[in-house]
Amino acid sequence: MVSSVFIFFAPLFAARLDDEDDFEEEHVTKIYYCSRTHSQLSQFVHELQKSPFGKGTRLVSLGSRQNMCVNEDVRRLGTVQLINDRCMEMQKNKHDKKSEEPEGKKKRGSRLTCAFYAYDQMQSLRDEILVEVKDIEQLVSQAREVKACPYYASRYAIPAAQLVVLPYQTLLHDSTRRASGIKLKDQVVIIDEAHNLIDTITGMYSSQVTGAQLCQAHSQLAQYMERYRSRLKAKNLMYIKQILFMLEKFVGALGGNVKQNPNYQKVSQQGTTLKSINDFLFYRQVDNINLFKVQRYCMKSMISRKLFGFTEKFGGAAVIPENEPAKTGGLQQYLQNINQKSQGQGVADVQEVGESGPVRSASPLMQIESFLFALTNSNQDGRVLVQLQGSVAQSSLKFLMLNPAVHFAEVLKDCRSVIIAGGTMQPVSDFKQQLLIAAGLQPDRIVEFSCGHVIPPENILPIVLCSGPTNQQLEFTYEKRALPDMMDETGRILANLCNVVPGGLVCFFPSYEYEKLILGRWEKTGLLGRLAVKKKIFQEPKKASGVERVLSEYSRCIKLSGQSAGPLTGALLFSVVGGKMSEGINFSDDLGRCVVMVGMPYPNIRSPELQEKMLYLDHTLPKTNGVSAGKVLVENLCMKAVNQSIGRAIRHRGDYASILLLDHRYSRPTVLGKLPQWIRSSAEVKQSFGPAFASIRKFFQMKKTTSVSPT
């Protein structure tokens, strides 16, 4: 168990009056518990099952269709959007509703239906859900046995449930929340693992479309309109023409023409331009189109789904172009790809192109709808980035959400109370300023609670090291970190640590670029070979598919070295802050006896998105101790990344580890104050390497004989 910071608050706003269906089942008072991943939710359910509350609690686990669908024909579609669309299509066919064809035409041939979407079986499964606590895997397994849909059965169980366990997206995204039948009025919400909450909400309401998607959607929609022009109502035809007009103008913003192949249209001048929403719409001459009416038309007509069905039948399935990399939205890249520039590194939820070919994708109009809906935000709450690079196909339009509070306020105003919890929440000022106070809450309605770690103070040794073995001052600024002397000094520190640290030593670098640079230097000087004599060296893989293999080999090496009398004393793992091993991976016990943080991983200050976010905060938030809100944001992003990385070690009450922060800037009071309290209270600032090394050696000598067995 790790330390936690909880922010409790009661909503200030009056609750919204909903139009209740007279026959709708009444929702009992309940707790909505949400976390970032399905594995974290399953872990929570398993802990509840072992507790005294496991027998009498009516719990419902919610998940996406991709996680819960038991129809193998639908599951084989692969992507979330295609699974969602096929499910909706089968429902409509089941109820003999109007087909996906345009007005007036009846669908010929047999209609696909889902055998699991049967009311009686789903109601029976719904009752079973409320009788016994189950996680998603257990629910899906039972659903297969009774041949019922767990996705809808779990949603039928929401009104009577006392505890609803669900992922971030389902709770925090307004349209997803409504579609799931979740009602927050007078309920309690717990948001766990909330260290990336601001970034998560920002990403949900940000959107990006490429030139390839815009041209492809224009071509498909134009063909659709021409084929069914005589059957379309005049009003629907008008909206389709408006969408086509906007697509043409958006491609024009990228310097292209919708009538030509975007892959062969080169961009004359590359770069990024930022515009307000109003300026962008006026600049592209679409400010006279009512986007709210277009939004209602898209939602009511489901034009993107019809377009996908049309292309499947007449034009083949749409695919993601091979030269089009997956791109993240919002500020998600800050903590995951710090100081990187277009290296093709995507967030964990983005699907990669497989060996067999490109991933089959839904209609590009679905992504474009998201971008159009984003443009309906208030002018001051977002910005549009026009990103020109290479060809028109590679260029993109990106909506950046600057004010996540405007969407989080929807959660606040209905709930009885909200609990925001996490083990690495510091610094918490961002949450209070950007999410709570910005949403209209008064500071006196926010209650903050923090507790220490479950381990005793003597089980942790955090050290801020200001200089290395040759008295070289450690300062890993962008200008100094590439100096040979700085890289060599870092290598000497690790070489000394390998002599005294048992088991696993995890070293975090601020970026993939710097990791490559410094390892290249050490290989050239022979230091890497000397390190390998003491500890077997592992490196974080660039592909997510390789993480499990590397961790397995890393763990196996540490276990074997502890059983043999050979020269190896464990393993050394090189990782990157914001990478695949800086979050969600537990380096407990011998897997992480020492964690080394090289430098301070500040985000790329030249990023247009970050610059615009800083400017926005400078204009909307007050200064903190004379420091502008934008500068506070940069430092907080850095320290959150540090806290998340060093929190990978010490995972239970009998665990112990040393934490080494290599950079004299960590000794500044303002920076030390942003470390977790359980680390900060034991932190030692060492100006020279000798005393630091002596403390580390003594720490592990004592633990060799007095360490507590894990429980």
Side-chain angles (χ1 to χ4, degrees):
M1 178 179 180
V2 296
S3 68
S4 300
V5 172
F6 302 93
I7 301 179
F8 302 89
F9 56 91
L12 172 66
F13 307 100
R16 177 179 67 247
L17 292 177
D18 295 325
D19 294 329
E20 298 285 344
D21 189 328
D22 292 340
F23 301 101
E24 187 173 357
E25 186 176 357
E26 182 179 355
H27 284 240
V28 302
T29 301
K30 58 175 59 65
I31 295 173
Y32 287 97
Y33 174 90
C34 73
S35 191
R36 193 175 61 86
T37 65
H38 286 289
S39 61
Q40 290 167 343
L41 295 174
S42 293
Q43 184 179 359
F44 171 79
V45 174
H46 294 160
E47 292 299 321
L48 181 69
Q49 289 172 331
K50 293 186 292 185
S51 75
F53 304 100
K55 295 292 184 183
T57 303
R58 299 193 301 274
L59 178 144
V60 175
S61 294
L62 301 183
S64 65
R65 286 183 176 90
Q66 190 176 38
N67 288 97
M68 302 187 78
C69 181
V70 291
N71 188 320
E72 292 302 323
D73 291 335
V74 177
R75 288 177 60 86
R76 277 196 289 267
L77 294 174
T79 63
V80 176
Q81 191 65 60
L82 292 179
I83 291 174
N84 289 344
D85 291 342
R86 184 58 55 86
C87 177
M88 297 295 291
E89 178 188 351
M90 286 180 161
Q91 281 183 64
K92 294 172 74 177
N93 294 342
K94 190 82 172 182
H95 294 294
D96 290 324
K97 290 186 176 180
K98 191 176 182 181
S99 71
E100 296 275 14
E101 294 290 333
E103 297 87 343
K105 176 159 181 168
K106 295 196 178 287
K107 192 170 184 177
R108 297 176 181 174
S110 61
R111 298 178 179 180
L112 292 173
T113 59
C114 181
F116 298 92
Y117 189 73
Y119 182 79
D120 291 339
Q121 288 97 311
M122 289 191 294
Q123 285 296 327
S124 177
L125 181 58
R126 175 251 191 205
D127 295 338
E128 290 293 328
I129 291 172
L130 295 172
V131 169
E132 183 182 4
V133 173
K134 302 178 183 67
D135 64 13
I136 286 182
E137 288 73 21
Q138 294 165 337
L139 173 57
V140 168
S141 177
Q142 185 173 6
R144 286 196 174 99
E145 293 178 6
V146 300
K147 298 189 182 305
C149 175
Y151 179 82
Y152 283 103
S154 61
R155 278 148 180 77
Y156 292 157
I158 291 175
Q162 297 170 316
L163 177 59
V164 179
V165 178
L166 67 170
Y168 276 177
Q169 176 79 15
T170 308
L171 179 83
L172 299 175
H173 194 267
D174 181 61
S175 60
T176 306
R177 185 170 65 246
R178 294 175 186 274
S180 300
I182 294 170
K183 297 184 181 297
L184 298 180
K185 183 179 180 182
D186 297 330
Q187 308 293 6
V188 177
V189 167
I190 301 175
I191 303 174
D192 199 4
E193 296 292 333
H195 51 274
N196 285 337
L197 182 59
I198 295 175
D199 186 60
T200 298
I201 299 174
T202 299
M204 284 181 186
Y205 291 96
S206 297
S207 182
Q208 184 170 358
V209 292
T210 64
Q213 290 173 324
L214 291 167
C215 290
Q216 190 177 23
H218 185 279
S219 175
Q220 293 176 358
L221 189 57
Q223 294 176 57
Y224 177 90
M225 182 184 70
E226 289 304 317
R227 184 173 185 88
Y228 299 115
R229 179 186 290 271
S230 61
R231 299 173 186 171
L232 292 167
K233 293 179 180 178
K235 199 170 187 179
N236 291 346
L237 189 60
M238 177 195 71
Y239 284 124
I240 290 177
K241 287 182 177 180
Q242 287 183 347
I243 295 173
L244 287 170
F245 178 77
M246 286 189 288
L247 292 175
E248 183 178 346
K249 292 297 182 180
F250 291 166
V251 173
L254 301 177
N257 188 320
V258 292
K259 296 180 180 179
Q260 300 175 16
N261 189 322
N263 290 301
Y264 301 112
Q265 298 182 62
K266 300 303 179 182
V267 173
S268 58
Q269 187 173 0
Q270 301 187 28
T272 299
T273 305
L274 280 143
K275 293 183 179 296
S276 68
I277 298 174
N278 290 346
D279 287 346
F280 174 74
L281 295 175
F282 180 78
Y283 162 65
R284 296 319 307 164
Q285 301 175 343
V286 294
D287 53 312
N288 60 334
I289 295 178
N290 190 325
L291 291 177
F292 293 96
K293 289 186 176 181
V294 173
Q295 180 181 14
R296 284 195 296 270
Y297 165 74
C298 291
M299 295 175 66
K300 188 175 181 180
S301 69
M302 296 187 291
I303 182 63
S304 60
R305 290 173 182 164
K306 292 179 179 178
L307 192 60
F308 174 67
F310 171 77
T311 56
E312 263 200 326
K313 186 173 182 180
F314 299 106
V319 296
I320 301 173
E322 294 182 2
N323 61 345
E324 183 182 330
K327 294 176 181 164
T328 58
L331 301 175
Q332 289 179 329
Q333 62 189 26
Y334 288 165
L335 297 183
Q336 298 192 358
N337 294 320
I338 291 175
N339 286 333
Q340 292 186 70
K341 294 181 180 179
S342 302
Q343 295 183 7
Q345 301 290 333
V347 295
D349 292 333
V350 175
Q351 296 193 5
E352 297 179 353
V353 174
E355 294 179 1
S356 60
V359 176
R360 186 162 170 256
S361 172
S363 165
L365 188 59
M366 294 175 183
Q367 181 67 20
I368 292 163
E369 281 181 357
S370 175
F371 180 74
L372 291 175
F373 297 170
L375 295 178
T376 62
N377 281 281
S378 298
N379 187 56
Q380 69 272 16
D381 290 337
R383 296 291 182 271
V384 178
L385 284 76
V386 182
Q387 299 174 318
L388 304 179
Q389 52 182 352
S391 65
V392 171
Q394 295 171 320
S395 300
S396 63
L397 298 175
K398 182 177 182 179
F399 176 81
L400 175 64
M401 171 55 66
L402 296 176
N403 183 18
V406 70
H407 295 289
F408 194 59
E410 295 293 317
V411 175
L412 304 185
K413 69 180 181 181
D414 278 352
C415 293
R416 173 186 298 182
S417 62
V418 177
I419 301 171
I420 303 174
T424 51
M425 294 280 286
Q426 288 90 351
V428 298
S429 59
D430 285 354
F431 296 95
K432 292 192 285 188
Q433 290 288 344
Q434 295 184 43
L435 275 186
L436 308 183
I437 296 175
L441 290 176
Q442 296 299 319
D444 59 359
R445 290 182 173 268
I446 304 170
V447 179
E448 182 181 338
F449 172 75
S450 176
C451 61
H453 206 287
V454 293
I455 64 166
E458 60 269 19
N459 278 22
I460 181 174
L461 179 64
I463 292 178
V464 175
L465 185 60
C466 299
S467 59
T470 64
N471 292 323
Q472 169 80 40
Q473 187 183 53
L474 301 176
E475 183 177 336
F476 293 88
T477 60
Y478 187 78
E479 294 78 14
K480 295 182 179 180
R481 66 185 185 182
L483 296 175
D485 289 346
M486 190 68 67
M487 293 188 285
D488 292 344
E489 193 78 337
T490 306
R492 283 188 282 267
I493 293 172
L494 284 180
N496 280 278
L497 290 176
C498 286
N499 289 326
V500 296
V501 174
L505 192 159
V506 184
C507 179
F508 285 100
F509 295 105
S511 69
Y512 287 103
E513 178 188 8
Y514 188 61
E515 179 192 41
K516 181 179 179 181
L517 178 67
I518 198 168
L519 293 184
R521 169 70 183 179
W522 292 349
E523 185 176 13
K524 183 179 179 180
T525 61
L527 177 66
L528 209 58
R530 294 196 295 273
L531 291 174
V533 172
K534 282 292 183 182
K535 292 186 181 291
K536 186 173 181 179
I537 296 176
F538 294 86
Q539 190 173 353
E540 175 185 308
K542 291 188 176 181
K543 291 186 177 181
S545 58
V547 171
E548 187 175 347
R549 178 185 57 81
V550 171
L551 286 176
S552 177
E553 293 179 2
Y554 173 73
S555 176
R556 181 173 175 271
C557 176
I558 292 173
K559 184 177 180 180
L560 291 176
S561 64
Q563 298 173 350
S564 65
L568 285 178
T569 61
L572 171 60
L573 175 62
F574 293 125
S575 189
V576 175
V577 177
K580 299 170 183 63
M581 293 185 177
S582 65
E583 184 174 350
I585 304 295
N586 295 335
F587 294 110
S588 59
D589 301 316
D590 281 344
L591 296 183
R593 288 305 181 199
C594 181
V595 176
V596 178
M597 176 65 62
V598 178
M600 300 185 70
Y602 283 105
N604 181 9
I605 198 67
R606 289 182 287 274
S607 163
E609 294 98 323
L610 180 56
Q611 289 181 350
E612 193 64 23
K613 181 71 173 181
M614 292 172 63
L615 188 63
Y616 171 80
L617 293 178
D618 287 343
H619 283 92
T620 56
L621 297 181
K623 291 184 177 182
T624 303
N625 298 323
V627 181
S628 67
K631 290 184 178 179
V632 171
L633 169 70
V634 172
E635 190 165 274
N636 287 350
L637 286 172
C638 169
M639 292 309 298
K640 282 181 181 179
V642 169
N643 293 338
Q644 190 62 30
S645 297
I646 62 179
R648 299 306 89 214
I650 308 184
R651 307 304 297 179
H652 59 81
R653 64 184 180 183
D655 207 352
Y656 64 92
S658 174
I659 297 172
L660 202 58
L661 305 176
L662 305 186
D663 200 307
H664 76 93
R665 293 174 293 174
Y666 282 112
S667 64
R668 297 171 183 170
T670 55
V671 176
L672 274 176
K674 293 180 179 180
L675 290 171
Q677 190 274 335
W678 62 279
I679 294 179
R680 185 173 65 248
S681 60
S682 302
E684 302 177 10
V685 177
K686 302 292 187 181
Q687 297 296 330
S688 58
F689 180 74
F693 183 73
S695 295
I696 295 171
R697 181 170 52 191
K698 181 180 178 181
F699 175 78
F700 286 112
Q701 285 175 344
M702 292 178 60
K703 291 303 173 186
K704 189 174 183 179
T705 56
T706 62
S707 61
V708 181
S709 299
T711 58

